[in-house]
């Protein structure tokens, strides 16, 4: 069976715009099932410090997950978005800790910096080869190499799946992708 050609890197912007324009609100049942699947994935890893995210409009809301994790004794960190060109800064989050408004409509805690051993990575789109398309700022692409020991778990809705995404040398394939429907383990190509 012949392989379909991958879209060119120039297509990233077009794919991103298409997906964001067609994005529908995350339904409560979708959010609950996504969180349940993330909990299953995290249970198998048994991390100490988990990097999550505060939701942007149209994204899955991980706040209930963060609350469950903190109650269970995990340390949860959220990213602070620095000026363009710099990596994310992970700060400890707790329910009682104040939040500050950040760049691009984000929020981050005022807690101290922590190094995560699991990073939950949001995406605009994903493919079954572990490809991830973000918002285009490159923040995760600059951040992930700083934490080579961290387990990466991409998360989002199944409707964000595409057959193939353009990838370049700065993009990082995700070994696990979690949606409200399934947990996808990406097999590394042998070669």
């Amino acid at each position: 069976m012949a392989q379909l050609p991958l879209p060119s890197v120039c297509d990233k912007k077009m794919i991103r715009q298409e997906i964001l324009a067609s994005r529908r609100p995350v339904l409560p049942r979708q959010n609950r099932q996504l969180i349940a699947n993330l909990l299953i994935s995290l249970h198998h890893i048994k991390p100490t410090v988990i990097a999550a995210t505060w939701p942007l409009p149209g994204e899955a809301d991980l706040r209930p997950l963060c609350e469950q994790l903190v109650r269970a004794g995990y340390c949860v960190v959220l990213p602070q978005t620095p000026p363009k060109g710099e990596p994310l800064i992970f700060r400890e989050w707790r329910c009682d800790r104040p939040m500050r408004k950040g760049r691009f409509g984000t929020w981050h805690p005022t807690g101290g910096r922590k190094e995560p051993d699991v990073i939950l990575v949001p995406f605009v789109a994903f493919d079954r080869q572990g490809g991830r398309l973000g918002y285009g700022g490159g923040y995760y692409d600059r951040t992930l190499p700083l934490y080579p020991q961290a387990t990466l778990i991409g998360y989002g809705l199944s409707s964000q799946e595409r057959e193939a995404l353009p990838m370049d040398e700065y993009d990082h394939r995700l070994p696990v992708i979690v949606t409200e429907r399934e947990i996808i383990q990406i097999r590394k190509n042998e070669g």
Side-chain angles (χ1 to χ4, degrees):
M1 184 167 157
Q3 288 275 15
L4 294 173
L6 286 176
S8 72
V9 174
C10 302
D11 291 337
K12 283 184 175 183
K13 186 175 180 180
M14 183 182 70
I15 295 167
R16 184 179 296 113
Q17 288 173 341
E18 169 205 327
I19 293 170
L20 291 174
S22 65
R23 186 183 265 183
R24 298 196 189 286
V26 178
L27 299 174
R29 69 175 165 71
Q30 291 173 311
N31 208 75
R32 284 190 302 273
Q33 191 56 52
L34 174 64
I35 288 172
N37 287 343
L38 283 168
L39 284 169
I40 290 168
S41 295
L42 292 169
H43 176 73
H44 292 298
I45 299 167
K46 301 188 186 326
T48 303
V49 181
I50 302 164
T53 60
W54 205 255
L56 291 172
E59 284 185 341
D61 185 352
L62 297 189
R63 290 177 289 188
L65 173 68
C66 294
E67 291 169 5
Q68 289 180 50
L69 292 171
V70 168
R71 280 195 306 270
Y74 294 99
C75 176
V76 172
V77 294
L78 299 177
Q80 174 183 342
T81 306
K84 191 169 174 109
E86 295 181 30
L88 297 168
I89 299 165
F90 293 108
R91 297 194 177 277
E92 186 176 2
W93 175 85
R94 289 194 309 253
C95 299
D96 61 349
R97 183 153 285 152
M99 299 285 285
R100 288 197 180 131
K101 188 165 176 59
R103 300 168 58 84
F104 311 113
T106 61
W107 289 84
H108 62 271
T110 59
R113 291 181 179 207
K114 294 272 187 177
E115 186 169 313
D117 48 14
V118 169
I119 302 175
L120 302 180
V121 184
F123 48 69
V124 171
F126 74 95
D127 64 30
R128 289 192 176 253
Q129 295 77 47
R132 170 192 177 268
L133 181 66
Y135 287 93
Y139 286 101
Y140 279 92
D141 295 328
R142 280 187 292 282
T143 302
L144 298 180
L146 301 177
Y147 302 98
Q149 82 297 346
T151 300
L152 308 179
I153 301 175
Y155 74 91
L157 297 181
S158 57
S159 60
Q160 294 171 266
E161 182 177 353
R162 294 300 177 263
E163 186 172 336
L165 292 173
M167 300 287 288
D168 62 37
E169 70 271 19
Y170 301 109
D171 294 324
H172 296 271
R173 292 200 180 272
L174 300 169
V176 179
I177 294 172
V178 176
T179 73
E180 82 284 10
R181 291 188 180 166
E182 62 187 321
I183 299 168
I184 304 165
Q185 300 286 335
I186 311 300
R187 290 183 181 26
K188 288 187 178 182
N189 289 336
E190 295 180 15

